[in-house]
Amino acid sequence: VQLQASGGGLVQAGDSLRVSCAASGRTFRSYDMGWFRQAPGKERDFVAAIMWRSGSTYYTDSVKGRFTISRDNAKNTVYLQMNSLKPEDTAVYYCAAKDPTFVRYSYDRVSDYDYWGQGTQVTVSS
């Protein structure tokens, strides 16, 4: 699976932005997908995940109620809609996919994912 993230940019606090992740491969619908972010000098942190079988979604506490993860299997694309953006949301956003061959029950660790996109920069000015 190859992942291509896009849609980042420079916005003001309170604005909205949607980042996308296009995946190659016919088995995209069988992959759990996640979004992570990494600010300068910090570790890559979990943001959101969506499960392929149930469609269940999970979020880190700081984005609950503001961000929404979704997927369009027909387009092999996963989205992260970000509303009410804050300066602390500034980071490079990465999409990731879990290979369904391996059974892993967690979804919020970098090590849970096998494939990564190149990242897209989101900058929120105050």
Side-chain angles (χ1 to χ4, degrees):
V1 174
Q2 292 186 323
L3 305 174
Q4 180 74 36
S6 62
L10 172 63
V11 297
Q12 294 187 333
D15 286 350
S16 297
L17 194 65
R18 187 179 78 166
V19 292
S20 303
C21 176
S24 64
R26 295 175 294 174
T27 58
F28 169 77
R29 63 179 65 247
S30 299
Y31 285 73
D32 296 338
M33 300 295 296
W35 283 97
F36 287 71
R37 64 187 179 186
Q38 187 167 19
K42 296 190 176 182
E43 294 184 349
R44 191 170 296 187
D45 292 328
F46 170 75
V47 177
I50 185 166
M51 303 297 107
W52 77 269
R53 187 185 297 274
S54 64
S56 298
T57 57
Y58 303 93
Y59 301 91
T60 191
D61 286 345
S62 63
V63 308
K64 285 179 181 177
R66 300 189 298 123
F67 291 12
T68 302
I69 187 172
S70 62
R71 66 192 299 162
D72 186 336
N73 289 334
K75 296 182 178 179
N76 278 12
T77 302
V78 62
Y79 304 97
L80 185 67
Q81 176 68 42
M82 302 181 288
N83 299 329
S84 302
L85 281 161
K86 305 175 181 180
E88 51 264 43
D89 295 319
T90 295
V92 177
Y93 282 71
Y94 297 90
C95 60
K98 292 175 65 176
D99 191 322
T101 303
F102 308 106
V103 178
R104 287 161 294 192
Y105 298 102
S106 59
Y107 53 79
D108 59 352
R109 302 176 304 180
V110 170
S111 59
D112 292 327
Y113 295 83
D114 304 286
Y115 306 99
W116 292 85
Q118 85 289 2
T120 185
Q121 177 71 49
V122 173
T123 302
V124 185
S125 64
S126 57

